[in-house]
Amino acid sequence: MKRLLHKILWPLLIFMIGVFVSAFVAWKSEEWIEQTEQTRFTNASNQVILLIEKALDSNVQLLQSAVAFMNASSNVTRLEWKHFADQHHVEQNFPGLHALGYAPLVRAHDRPEHERELWNEGFPYYTIFPQEEAGEIAFPITYLEPFTEHNQKGLGYDLMSEKVRKEAIFHAISRAETTLSSKIDLVQEKNDDQKPGFIILHPVYTHMALPLSDAQRLAQTKGIVFVAVKAQTLFQTLLEANYIMVDFEIYDGDTPVLQKRLYDSKPALTMPKFERYIVLELYGKKWTLYFKSDQVLDIGLGRYLPAVQMSLGVLLFALLSAWIYALQHTREKAYRIAEEKTHRLLESEAEIRSIFQAMSEGVMVFDAQGNLIECNLASQEMFNLSLSDMLKSPPTNLNACHEDGRAFLKEERPVYRVLATKQACYNVMMGHRREGGEILWLLMNAQPIFKADFETIEKVVLTCSDMSEYRKSRREIERYLNIIDTYVMISSTDTQGVITEASDAFCKISGYTKEELIAQTHRLLRHPDVPLSFYEAMWKTLQTGTSWHGEIKNRRKDGSTYWVDTIIAPRYDDADRLIGYMAIRNDITDKKRIEELSVTDQLTGLYNRLKLDELFALYLSLAKRHRSAFSIALLDIDKFKSINDTYGHQVGDIVLQELSSVLKSRIRKEDALGRWGGEEFLILLPQCDLAAAYALAEKLRALVESHAFSRIGSKTVSFGVATFHIGDDEKSMVARADEALYRAKAHGRNRVECEVYTQDISF
């Protein structure tokens, strides 16, 4: 009886141990699946966060480009705004973009003039609305692209009339940076799930100085550039364009409130297996992201692996127990069998570990004939195929190509090279052409697994990494760098201003080659008209670590002149040490020429009547606002008609030119001198009272009298001087100056007469 009990006890004990070991292995497998799913869920949610940030960054870059575009010119037209939007292909490149717009700051007293300007542009029914919400300032939508019938309804809409948009505007102006608004409803959309959206804003300033208060920033604000985004379209596009097995909800703010929900990729999923909350701070706004999923790993029958392991383990140990029971009479043989089974179990465990060590990469196992016998989950996700499809037709053997487009021969493929040479194969780039023409680029490594004799290959392990996005990014970067080098005028210098790099566009406009520019300073391009004080002020700004922006007049290699609008910014290394400066330029030569021609009298080179009228209105406005002194001097060449009659009009033109040079040489820098008409000239004298104006006019009169004119010898001029009084306008001041000039003529010419004004002129 004792012998029988002893014979049964050992097989039973081994069977119980086997059940325990099988249960432990099955539990560990289940735990591994759970941990792997949790890790994949976390990684997938992090990937969604990166995609959302990338999508927002794309819109922000578009917005900042639009701000730079608005700052590049003092008057951007509607057509130029449309060209800017078309060049960036806003409808194709920015999913979810509802509109790209610009809203200028319009104060209450400027609204009638603003509306008249829009009427003159072809919008006769334009008005700032809603009128009942009108305040002291308004930001009416003036430019809007794409200018579809759907978006045209928003033209003139005051962004300050709605609370969310108003708060976003003041927040953006206060931060002086790109700012994200709270949730808004796109009222034009009919479906409720299409209505949630948000806007991204960036203020446009007249100029930026040192840090300012909010009130000062508002005073310098010229307008707001904004992007309106439809949340449903933007985030749905992210899911459709990427293989992501998680769903997510986005809420405005740091708490998930239903009324503030921007997006829900799967509303039906209410009790997920995995869930995660993340609060993101994006451009001055917080978003709450709620990630959810029922299943993260697409492993098919692999989910039953713990149960299969448990069943096989129990069966194995049952057979082992039966075997031990049958062979109990031979203890030594039983020990040998147990040792052999344990060794096989350890070998299987080592093989499984080696296959799944690189779970972040695709791993495939081939037999000695080159047939695929196993692959991991990462490789299935990479090729977007199930395990059965992978085993049926390995994707690495189909539609494979080199980087130059040549087809991969069978003997060139990593697995067959390993089988042929018995040596590992590393860093092989192979392209897999999918249906539709898209190529999946993989970096492959193949490693042989030998049998116990270390000579015969039993299996080949192939690992692959997806390099498609890396190659695409590299090509995009190379393309952008080539475009920038060809079309953008860029140069880099060290901290001493010595040029270290120069783009082709910069070489083209300067007339110098890169070899001629490198190791030189920008003094090579300095135009003699630009004073040294200009560059000293520029360097003083740069040495504080602040970017400098301004217009510079330069000289080409051939001596000709060109103008550039320039931004210079400091460059830092990884340790945040200043290593030099980068300058980006925009050719504004034509703009400068047009500006010069539009305000210059062609004969004398002085301001023309149009420019004088503009400056007259400006100086008069400043005098009224600040209660400051302002005078004018009107002068006429005495008996100029006799010159034309005696010497001809050509000599008369020469006299006008010489007189212009004499007058221009003695007036102040802040004064404005122009040809008023015929032989009459007008001098605008800001911050100058009547006595000072009379003294200047007398000095100029004496100077002209002493000057020897070509062909005609001496010539005299007469002056009429008037100064600003409360209630004056341009006509009244010119009338008094003209009356004084008439008296000067009547009293013998070659003299200065002042206005006659009897009213109270105190300020």
Side-chain angles (χ1 to χ4, degrees):
M1 183 68 182
K2 183 178 179 181
R3 186 177 179 181
L4 180 63
L5 182 63
H6 180 74
K7 189 175 181 179
I8 295 174
L9 181 62
W10 278 107
L12 182 62
L13 180 61
I14 290 175
F15 177 76
M16 295 300 295
I17 292 174
V19 171
F20 174 77
V21 171
S22 299
F24 179 78
V25 172
W27 172 62
K28 281 296 182 181
S29 297
E30 181 68 27
E31 187 180 62
W32 173 83
I33 291 175
E34 289 289 336
Q35 291 176 349
T36 303
E37 283 194 320
Q38 183 63 53
T39 301
R40 285 294 178 86
F41 174 74
T42 302
N43 292 339
S45 59
N46 290 338
Q47 183 181 0
V48 171
I49 293 172
L50 291 176
L51 290 171
I52 292 174
E53 291 176 340
K54 182 179 179 182
L56 290 178
D57 287 344
S58 297
N59 283 277
V60 170
Q61 290 174 11
L62 171 65
L63 200 63
Q64 292 176 346
S65 296
V67 172
F69 179 70
M70 296 297 294
N71 285 330
S73 174
S74 60
N75 184 21
V76 174
T77 65
R78 185 176 305 280
L79 181 59
E80 290 172 339
W81 181 261
K82 183 181 186 318
H83 286 169
F84 173 83
D86 292 341
Q87 287 173 355
H88 286 79
H89 305 289
V90 295
E91 294 183 86
Q92 295 82 17
N93 294 343
F94 300 88
L97 186 142
H98 194 66
L100 170 64
Y102 171 68
L105 187 152
V106 179
R107 303 190 182 278
H109 57 81
D110 292 329
R111 291 187 184 183
E113 181 180 353
H114 171 76
E115 292 178 346
R116 282 195 299 273
E117 289 177 357
L118 269 292
W119 297 344
N120 294 333
E121 288 183 18
F123 300 92
Y125 301 104
Y126 174 87
T127 184
I128 299 176
F129 69 97
Q131 292 290 343
E132 58 273 11
E133 300 292 339
E136 177 61 27
I137 60 171
F139 283 89
I141 299 175
T142 304
Y143 295 165
L144 202 61
E145 291 294 334
F147 199 56
T148 61
E149 181 179 358
H150 194 64
N151 281 339
Q152 288 178 16
K153 299 176 182 178
L155 191 65
Y157 177 75
D158 181 11
L159 298 178
M160 295 288 287
S161 63
E162 195 268 327
K163 181 181 178 182
V164 173
R165 294 173 173 85
K166 180 177 180 180
E167 291 175 350
I169 288 174
F170 281 123
H171 193 193
I173 292 174
S174 175
R175 297 176 71 239
E177 294 178 357
T178 303
T179 301
L180 200 64
S181 77
S182 300
K183 173 191 172 186
I184 62 171
D185 285 334
L186 303 174
V187 296
Q188 298 96 329
E189 300 297 334
K190 296 181 180 179
N191 299 329
D192 290 340
D193 59 343
Q194 297 289 333
K195 287 184 177 182
F198 56 91
I199 55 177
I200 311 173
L201 312 96
H202 197 295
V204 179
Y205 298 103
T206 54
H207 66 277
M208 286 300 296
L210 296 173
L212 304 173
S213 65
D214 290 351
Q216 290 172 323
R217 291 187 187 277
L218 181 61
Q220 292 186 8
T221 300
K222 183 166 65 174
I224 290 289
V225 175
F226 66 93
V227 171
V229 181
K230 185 191 298 184
Q232 176 75 16
T233 304
L234 175 63
F235 301 125
Q236 189 66 38
T237 304
L238 294 183
L239 284 178
E240 293 174 355
N242 298 274
Y243 185 70
I244 300 174
M245 297 183 65
V246 298
D247 293 285
F248 61 94
E249 301 173 17
I250 299 180
Y251 296 87
D252 175 26
D254 52 7
T255 53
V257 180
L258 181 61
Q259 291 78 4
K260 293 187 176 182
R261 186 166 64 192
L262 284 167
Y263 175 72
D264 187 351
S265 62
K266 193 173 182 180
L269 182 58
T270 57
M271 299 182 66
K273 181 178 180 181
F274 301 96
E275 57 184 1
R276 182 188 183 194
Y277 285 93
I278 296 291
V279 176
L280 292 181
E281 185 163 357
L282 302 164
Y283 304 105
K285 192 65 185 175
K286 290 184 178 180
W287 278 1
T288 300
L289 276 66
Y290 169 58
F291 296 95
K292 56 186 180 180
S293 179
D294 275 337
Q295 177 177 329
V296 180
L297 292 176
D298 186 15
I299 59 176
L301 296 177
R303 289 194 170 276
Y304 301 101
L305 180 62
V308 172
Q309 287 177 326
M310 180 68 180
S311 301
L312 291 178
V314 171
L315 178 61
L316 175 64
F317 280 96
L319 293 175
L320 181 62
S321 298
W323 194 7
I324 292 175
Y325 179 79
L327 300 177
Q328 184 68 27
H329 60 283
T330 312
R331 185 184 296 270
E332 183 179 351
K333 189 175 182 179
Y335 286 157
R336 205 165 48 245
I337 292 173
E339 183 179 355
E340 180 183 351
K341 294 296 182 182
T342 303
H343 180 68
R344 289 182 181 179
L345 184 62
L346 292 174
E347 284 184 340
S348 298
E349 183 179 358
E351 181 179 350
I352 292 173
R353 283 204 191 109
S354 66
I355 291 175
F356 289 97
Q357 275 181 351
M359 286 300 296
S360 60
E361 296 181 307
V363 181
M364 290 173 276
V365 182
F366 296 81
D367 60 18
Q369 287 73 43
N371 300 315
L372 179 65
I373 58 176
E374 185 61 76
C375 62
N376 71 341
L377 296 171
S379 62
Q380 297 174 39
E381 293 180 359
M382 194 174 294
F383 291 99
N384 199 17
L385 295 172
S386 65
L387 177 61
S388 60
D389 291 336
M390 294 276 286
L391 296 176
K392 186 186 302 179
S393 179
T396 55
N397 291 341
L398 300 175
N399 301 320
C401 63
H402 288 277
E403 290 186 277
D404 59 6
R406 295 181 294 109
F408 251 100
L409 300 178
K410 181 177 180 180
E411 58 270 18
E412 294 179 319
R413 296 171 183 169
V415 173
Y416 295 104
R417 283 171 60 181
V418 171
L419 291 174
T421 63
K422 296 185 180 181
Q423 294 181 352
C425 184
Y426 298 106
N427 300 325
V428 177
M429 185 68 74
M430 177 184 289
H432 168 66
R433 196 179 300 278
R434 293 171 168 170
E435 294 182 5
E438 181 185 1
I439 297 179
L440 172 66
W441 289 101
L442 302 172
L443 185 65
M444 296 184 170
N445 299 298
Q447 182 75 35
I449 297 178
F450 295 95
K451 292 185 178 180
D453 59 6
F454 297 101
E455 290 290 335
T456 306
I457 293 180
E458 182 178 13
K459 297 175 183 178
V460 177
V461 177
L462 179 71
T463 62
C464 48
S465 301
D466 187 353
M467 304 296 289
S468 302
E469 287 300 319
Y470 169 76
R471 282 173 54 86
K472 181 178 178 182
S473 298
R474 188 182 67 186
R475 288 198 305 272
E476 284 293 310
I477 291 173
E478 290 174 352
R479 184 171 69 88
Y480 284 134
L481 289 176
N482 185 54
I483 291 173
I484 289 171
D485 189 58
T486 304
Y487 298 105
V488 181
M489 291 176 282
I490 297 178
S491 66
S492 296
T493 68
D494 60 17
T495 55
Q496 303 303 314
V498 177
I499 299 173
T500 57
E501 294 178 17
S503 68
D504 288 344
F506 182 48
C507 294
K508 182 177 180 181
I509 194 171
S510 67
Y512 292 94
T513 64
K514 288 189 178 182
E515 292 74 15
E516 292 173 323
L517 289 171
I518 301 299
Q520 298 290 332
T521 67
H522 285 88
R523 296 189 189 94
L524 186 66
L525 309 173
R526 182 191 166 202
H527 197 283
D529 289 350
V530 182
L532 286 174
S533 58
F534 174 85
Y535 295 102
E536 291 171 355
M538 179 183 72
W539 273 105
K540 186 176 181 181
T541 300
L542 291 174
Q543 288 170 355
T544 64
T546 306
S547 298
W548 181 89
H549 180 205
E551 297 178 350
I552 304 178
K553 185 179 183 181
N554 285 337
R555 183 169 60 182
R556 294 187 178 91
K557 183 179 180 181
D558 61 8
S560 59
T561 298
Y562 68 96
W563 281 85
V564 287
D565 182 83
T566 306
I567 297 176
I568 305 176
R571 294 188 300 123
Y572 299 92
D573 61 11
D574 294 338
D576 204 28
R577 292 174 300 207
L578 180 68
I579 59 174
Y581 303 92
M582 175 177 286
I584 302 177
R585 303 167 179 83
N586 179 34
D587 185 4
I588 58 171
T589 305
D590 291 337
K591 174 188 172 185
K592 283 293 184 181
R593 287 174 180 168
I594 292 172
E595 288 177 355
E596 183 177 351
L597 290 173
S598 65
V599 301
T600 304
D601 177 66
Q602 187 173 0
L603 176 62
T604 63
L606 303 178
Y607 287 138
N608 59 19
R609 179 68 175 266
L610 181 64
K611 184 61 176 180
L612 283 174
D613 288 340
E614 178 186 338
L615 293 175
F616 203 154
L618 173 63
Y619 292 161
L620 192 58
S621 175
L622 293 174
K624 291 178 179 179
R625 181 181 304 173
H626 302 294
R627 299 292 182 92
S628 58
F630 169 54
S631 301
I632 64 173
L634 188 64
L635 65 130
D636 188 319
I637 301 176
D638 295 332
K639 298 182 180 180
F640 180 77
K641 184 176 182 301
S642 64
I643 298 176
N644 290 332
D645 293 342
T646 305
Y647 300 99
H649 289 279
Q650 186 174 3
V651 174
D653 290 345
I654 294 174
V655 171
L656 291 174
Q657 291 171 344
E658 290 186 25
L659 176 63
S660 300
S661 298
V662 171
L663 296 174
K664 190 175 182 180
S665 66
R666 291 301 178 93
I667 63 172
R668 302 175 304 172
K669 289 185 178 180
E670 60 268 29
D671 296 338
L673 169 63
R675 188 178 178 189
W676 190 246
E679 68 275 18
E680 280 191 332
F681 295 82
L682 180 65
I683 307 175
L684 303 177
L685 305 167
Q687 300 294 333
C688 185
D689 59 19
L690 187 61
Y694 176 85
L696 176 62
E698 183 60 35
K699 184 187 297 182
L700 294 175
R701 182 202 62 76
L703 187 65
V704 173
E705 183 181 17
S706 62
H707 179 75
F709 288 88
S710 303
R711 299 287 299 274
I712 67 169
S714 62
K715 200 65 183 172
T716 62
V717 294
S718 299
F719 283 83
V721 180
T723 192
F724 166 73
H725 305 289
I726 295 176
D728 259 344
D729 58 16
E730 293 94 326
K731 291 182 179 180
S732 61
M733 288 187 70
V734 170
R736 293 199 304 276
D738 191 54
E739 181 184 356
L741 176 60
Y742 179 82
R743 291 200 310 275
K745 293 283 187 179
H747 291 164
R749 299 184 176 88
N750 189 24
R751 61 185 291 117
V752 179
E753 289 286 346
C754 292
E755 66 175 355
V756 176
Y757 191 83
T758 58
Q759 296 183 17
D760 181 13
I761 62 171
S762 62
F763 291 121

